[in-house]
Amino acid sequence: MRRYGILALAAVFFLSGCGSRGENVVKSIKIGVTVYDQYDTFITGLMDSFTACAAQKEEETGVAINLEVMDAAGSQSTQNEQVQTLIERGCDIICVNLVDRTEPTTITDMAEKNDTPIIFFNRELVEEDLERWEKLYYVGADAFESGVMEGELAADAFLQSESADKNGDGICQYIVLEGEAGHQDSIVRTEYSINTMMEQGVEAEKLGYAIANWNRAQAQTKTASLYAQFGDEIEMILANNDDMALGAIDALKAAGVSEEDWPVIVGIDGTDVGLEAVQNGEMAGTVYNDKEGQALEMLKLAYALATDSGWEEVDLEDGKYIRLPYSKVTAENAGEFEDIRGESDS
Ligand code: GAL
C-alpha cells in the first residue's frame, strides 16, 4: 500500500510543472492566479484575455501552461490561504490581484520563504511593499492618466453640447461615483478627472458623490438617491468606471427621465457594455483600460519567470513594473476598440 502511495506521489511530481525540467528543457509550467472578486466585470475580461494569451503561448512554444485560478471573493484572509495552497500545489509563479492593497505582507513572506515569484496586478500596492523582495512585480496601468483623460472627455462633452448646461448658469453641476475607498484608481481618478475638467475651462460645482465599489447595482441605488435629492440640477456624472456609469443610466431609466434630459455621463474601462453605451450615445465617452495588453504582459512576465526564457519580450520599468497606457474613447473611435477585442478573442 505504502509503495503505491510513493509511486503515485512520484507520478504526480513528474507530471506537475515543477517536476518536468529534465535537461534544462521546460516542458510545462504552472501559473496560479487569485482575483479579488470574480464578479468584477473588468477583472473577468482581463482573466478571459489572460487565459487566451496562455493558450496562444502554449501553442507557440510547445510548453504546457497550466493555469489555476481562484476567487478570493473579497476576503484578504481567504486570498492569503489561496496563495499558500497555490504554493503547495507547485505553482512556479503566482499572480495576485490583492483584495486589500495595503495588506501584501503575509503573501510576500510566504512567497519569499518558498522562493515563488509574485506578480501583483490591477490593485497597486505602495512602492515600499513591492521593494520588500526582489521577486515581486506589478502589472497594471497609470491611474493618473485615466483620470486626466476622463476629465478631458468630460470637458469636451460639456463645452461642445449646448444643452449640457441645463440651467444655463455657465457652471457644471456634477456628481462623482467612486470605486472602493482606498483603491488607487478611485482616489486618483476622482481627483484628476475633476481637476482636469476644470483646467480645460469648465467651471464646476460638486453636488455630491457616492461610493459604489465599481458595482453597477450599487451605482444604480446610489444614483437613484442622488437624483431624488438633486434631480435635474445634475448636469454631469463622472464615474470611476463604466459599470458604475451604466448603473447611473439604469437609475435614470428607472426614474423615467427621457434621454435628452440626461446629464453628460463619462466612465473608464471600455468594457463591452461600456463601449456599446458610448456607441449608442448613452455615455459621452470612456477611457480604455487595456485589459488585453495587461493580460499579455502579465503572461509574458510569468512565462519568463517560470522558464527563465523569453526575457527579450519583457520590458520592465525600474526592474519591477509594467504599465499599459490608457486611450480616450468617444462615439467616433469606439468601433476600433471593439476590433481590438475581436482580434484577441479569435
Ligand atoms: C480598475 C477598473 C475597475 C475595477 C477595479 C478593480 O482598474 O477600472 O473597473 O475592475 O480596477 O480593482
Side-chain angles (χ1 to χ4, degrees):
M1 200 59 210
R2 196 161 155 247
R3 215 169 109 218
Y4 287 127
I6 291 167
L7 281 177
L9 201 71
V12 168
F13 188 66
F14 179 73
L15 291 171
S16 78
C18 299
S20 53
R21 292 192 194 170
E23 299 159 11
N24 266 345
V25 178
V26 179
K27 297 203 179 81
S28 76
I29 61 171
K30 186 163 179 176
I31 304 175
V33 184
T34 156
V35 297
Y36 91 102
D37 173 11
Q38 69 172 347
Y39 297 108
D40 178 299
T41 309
F42 175 75
I43 296 296
T44 305
L46 178 62
M47 286 316 300
D48 288 348
S49 292
F50 189 69
T51 310
C53 290
Q56 201 175 335
K57 190 82 174 169
E58 187 170 89
E59 217 178 283
E60 271 167 35
T61 59
V63 175
I65 302 181
N66 302 300
L67 291 185
E68 182 150 1
V69 182
M70 295 185 168
D71 173 25
S75 158
Q76 189 57 62
S77 58
T78 302
Q79 186 165 63
N80 296 347
E81 284 162 21
Q82 290 177 341
V83 170
Q84 182 65 44
T85 307
L86 290 167
I87 290 174
E88 283 163 11
R89 291 189 186 162
C91 288
D92 299 287
I93 161 107
I94 303 174
C95 302
V96 178
N97 180 216
L98 275 172
V99 174
D100 181 345
R101 71 187 191 102
T102 66
E103 290 292 338
T105 318
T106 313
I107 289 175
T108 305
D109 290 348
M110 283 189 292
E112 186 171 3
K113 202 165 130 219
N114 293 280
D115 198 26
T116 307
I118 302 281
I119 304 174
F120 293 103
F121 66 102
N122 168 263
R123 297 160 76 86
E124 187 168 352
L125 50 173
V126 293
E127 203 182 331
E128 296 76 65
D129 283 334
L130 205 66
E131 292 299 336
R132 286 194 53 224
W133 182 42
E134 58 187 3
K135 294 181 185 170
L136 304 177
Y137 303 87
Y138 179 74
V139 176
D142 182 351
F144 295 91
E145 191 184 26
S146 58
V148 168
M149 288 183 172
E150 185 177 37
E152 288 171 356
L153 287 166
D156 286 351
F158 191 79
L159 297 171
Q160 279 161 22
S161 149
E162 280 178 15
S163 55
D165 184 13
K166 295 190 203 183
N167 60 4
D169 66 353
I171 301 170
C172 172
Q173 276 81 22
Y174 67 93
I175 61 167
V176 186
L177 294 173
E178 297 186 13
E180 294 157 273
H183 190 301
Q184 85 278 356
D185 288 339
S186 316
I187 301 166
V188 172
R189 287 174 183 174
T190 298
E191 182 182 342
Y192 281 79
S193 59
I194 298 166
N195 289 351
T196 306
M197 179 169 81
M198 291 167 81
E199 275 163 28
Q200 299 286 309
V202 176
E203 200 178 331
E205 177 192 348
K206 190 176 200 161
L207 295 177
Y209 77 98
I211 293 175
N213 298 308
W214 311 119
N215 181 282
R216 183 167 179 163
Q218 288 185 34
Q220 175 172 358
T221 312
K222 301 273 168 85
T223 307
S225 69
L226 286 163
Y227 191 79
Q229 196 179 348
F230 299 107
D232 225 23
E233 283 176 61
I234 304 171
E235 295 171 340
M236 163 87 68
I237 300 179
L238 290 159
N240 284 173
N241 80 342
D242 284 355
D243 262 12
M244 295 190 292
L246 292 158
I249 292 173
D250 294 338
L252 294 169
K253 286 182 178 167
V257 185
S258 67
E259 199 171 328
E260 64 270 16
D261 297 327
W262 290 4
V264 173
I265 301 166
V266 283
I268 293 177
D269 274 348
T271 57
D272 295 1
V273 264
L275 289 175
E276 215 175 284
V278 172
Q279 272 180 322
N280 69 22
E282 293 187 334
M283 279 166 66
T286 187
V287 178
Y288 200 74
N289 193 356
D290 183 4
K291 57 185 183 308
E292 290 81 12
Q294 292 166 33
L296 180 61
E297 295 306 321
M298 184 157 87
L299 193 272
K300 289 195 297 195
L301 177 57
Y303 183 87
L305 286 163
T307 62
D308 200 20
S309 65
W311 280 107
E312 66 286 354
E313 287 187 43
V314 177
D315 191 10
L316 287 170
E317 200 185 302
D318 300 329
K320 292 209 161 255
Y321 289 91
I322 300 179
R323 286 202 175 88
L324 277 290
Y326 285 97
S327 322
K328 285 195 265 185
V329 187
T330 58
E332 276 97 72
N333 66 348
E336 293 166 26
F337 292 87
E338 298 211 307
D339 294 346
I340 298 179
R341 269 175 30 222
E343 277 163 28
S344 77
D345 288 351
S346 60

